[in-house]
Amino acid sequence: MVTNVTSFSRSGLSDFLLQRVTAVVLALYALCIIGFFLVTPDLSHAKLVGYFGSTSMQLFSLLAVLSTAAHAWIGMWTIGTDYLRPAHVGSSATLLRFVYFALVVIALFVYVVWAVRIFWSL
Amino acid sequence: MKTDRPVNLALYTIHFPVTAVASITHRITGVILMVGIGFGLWLLDLALSSEAGYLRASEVMQGGLAKFILWGLLASVIYHVCAGLKHLLLDMHIADSLEGGRIATWAMLVISAVLVVLAGVWVW
């Protein structure tokens, strides 16, 4: 049996659902952020801090960055397992995929910690 | 070996269907956003850090390259969300026939293109 050791939730069905739930969260978050910048033409530091520093936006930003970590992992996993295969990149495919997945994990970890630091220090 | 195999393929008539082009673009914009989040967090971190940081961020965003990057990221978000919404429709078996899929993909591309142009107007 092929074991699915690198997928996000060890289950394709669960990954499928998570990808969609997090997508909806991220689409709504993007809409909120873009909407804020659209309706705030005379933007200032105080207004920016006021917006992102509100408890509701702090929670929404945290939810969004956690959703990003799951969503991006599932997406990047799909791409990695589709293209970094022996048929495409030769016999070192497993090593290449390992390095690629490691880089993705590090980047997403940094994003989560960085975002928490930015939004929860306001 | 089969003897009735087609020969002399007219390669110039062979191309990816529009749905395949839309799908690979969905992936490419996803990778762009994966990197772009770093730019977005950096800019937000700077702008939120202090009054001076905010002015520095505003100054950075006056630059042509920075505006182009911002537009590229907005375009990626717009396309990725539009293609994603189409995907959710497919999940509900809306436009999941061959012809329906082609029409929905063209509609998605047109809507995305209009929004991407509007985003460009907004940035510049």
Side-chain angles (χ1 to χ4, degrees), chain B residues 2-123:
Chain B
K2 283 168 72 181
T3 53
D4 59 343
R5 298 199 314 172
V7 290
N8 193 18
L9 290 172
L11 287 174
Y12 55 88
T13 63
I14 299 173
H15 57 84
F16 277 126
V18 65
T19 43
V21 176
S23 172
I24 191 72
T25 312
H26 198 176
R27 287 183 170 201
I28 292 168
T29 52
V31 175
I32 291 171
L33 289 174
M34 171 82 200
V35 179
I37 289 166
F39 177 79
L41 281 177
W42 170 77
L43 192 64
L44 211 48
D45 194 7
L46 182 64
L48 287 166
S49 61
S50 64
E51 191 74 54
Y54 177 81
L55 293 174
R56 179 84 192 95
S58 309
E59 200 182 306
V60 167
M61 289 319 294
Q62 295 305 312
L65 181 65
K67 285 194 173 191
F68 182 75
I69 292 173
L70 178 66
W71 177 66
L73 291 179
L74 281 172
S76 296
V77 169
I78 289 164
Y79 182 87
H80 204 81
V81 170
C82 287
L85 287 174
K86 199 202 75 178
H87 237 292
L88 293 180
L89 292 180
L90 296 180
D91 290 344
M92 292 181 265
H93 295 294
I94 297 166
D96 66 346
S97 66
L98 183 57
E99 201 43 43
R102 281 190 190 133
I103 293 166
T105 302
W106 275 113
M108 181 273 287
L109 289 175
V110 169
I111 291 167
S112 299
V114 170
L115 291 174
V116 166
V117 170
L118 286 177
V121 172
W122 185 38
V123 170

Side-chain angles (χ1 to χ4, degrees), chain A residues 36-37 40-49 51-52, chain B residues 47 54 58:
Chain A
F36 168 73
F37 285 109
T40 319
D42 49 342
L43 193 63
S44 66
H45 178 250
K47 281 182 185 172
L48 200 63
V49 171
Y51 180 67
F52 283 102
Chain B
Y54 177 81
S58 309

Side-chain angles (χ1 to χ4, degrees), chain A residues 61-85:
Chain A
S61 297
L62 179 62
L63 181 64
V65 77
L66 293 178
S67 294
T68 299
H71 190 92
W73 177 260
I74 296 166
M76 297 302 271
W77 178 87
T78 308
I79 290 172
T81 52
D82 269 359
Y83 302 124
L84 297 178
R85 290 188 291 138

Side-chain angles (χ1 to χ4, degrees), chain A residues 63-121:
Chain A
L63 181 64
V65 77
L66 293 178
S67 294
T68 299
H71 190 92
W73 177 260
I74 296 166
M76 297 302 271
W77 178 87
T78 308
I79 290 172
T81 52
D82 269 359
Y83 302 124
L84 297 178
R85 290 188 291 138
H88 295 111
V89 293
S91 56
S92 57
T94 305
L95 179 67
L96 271 173
R97 248 192 348 268
F98 178 81
V99 172
Y100 164 84
F101 285 151
L103 289 174
V104 173
V105 165
I106 291 168
L108 291 175
F109 178 72
V110 168
Y111 287 166
V112 170
V113 173
W114 197 7
V116 167
R117 205 198 60 119
I118 291 171
F119 297 116
W120 290 84
S121 61

Side-chain angles (χ1 to χ4, degrees), chain A residues 1-91:
Chain A
M1 188 190 133
V2 176
T3 48
N4 203 357
V5 292
T6 53
S7 73
F8 185 74
S9 59
R10 306 294 171 270
S11 151
L13 202 59
S14 169
D15 274 9
F16 174 95
L17 184 62
L18 264 169
Q19 188 73 331
R20 278 142 185 84
V21 173
T22 53
V24 172
V25 170
L26 290 169
L28 291 175
Y29 188 72
L31 209 62
C32 276
I33 301 291
I34 294 172
F36 168 73
F37 285 109
L38 270 175
V39 301
T40 319
D42 49 342
L43 193 63
S44 66
H45 178 250
K47 281 182 185 172
L48 200 63
V49 171
Y51 180 67
F52 283 102
S54 67
T55 307
S56 53
M57 274 314 287
Q58 281 180 319
L59 287 169
F60 199 10
S61 297
L62 179 62
L63 181 64
V65 77
L66 293 178
S67 294
T68 299
H71 190 92
W73 177 260
I74 296 166
M76 297 302 271
W77 178 87
T78 308
I79 290 172
T81 52
D82 269 359
Y83 302 124
L84 297 178
R85 290 188 291 138
H88 295 111
V89 293
S91 56

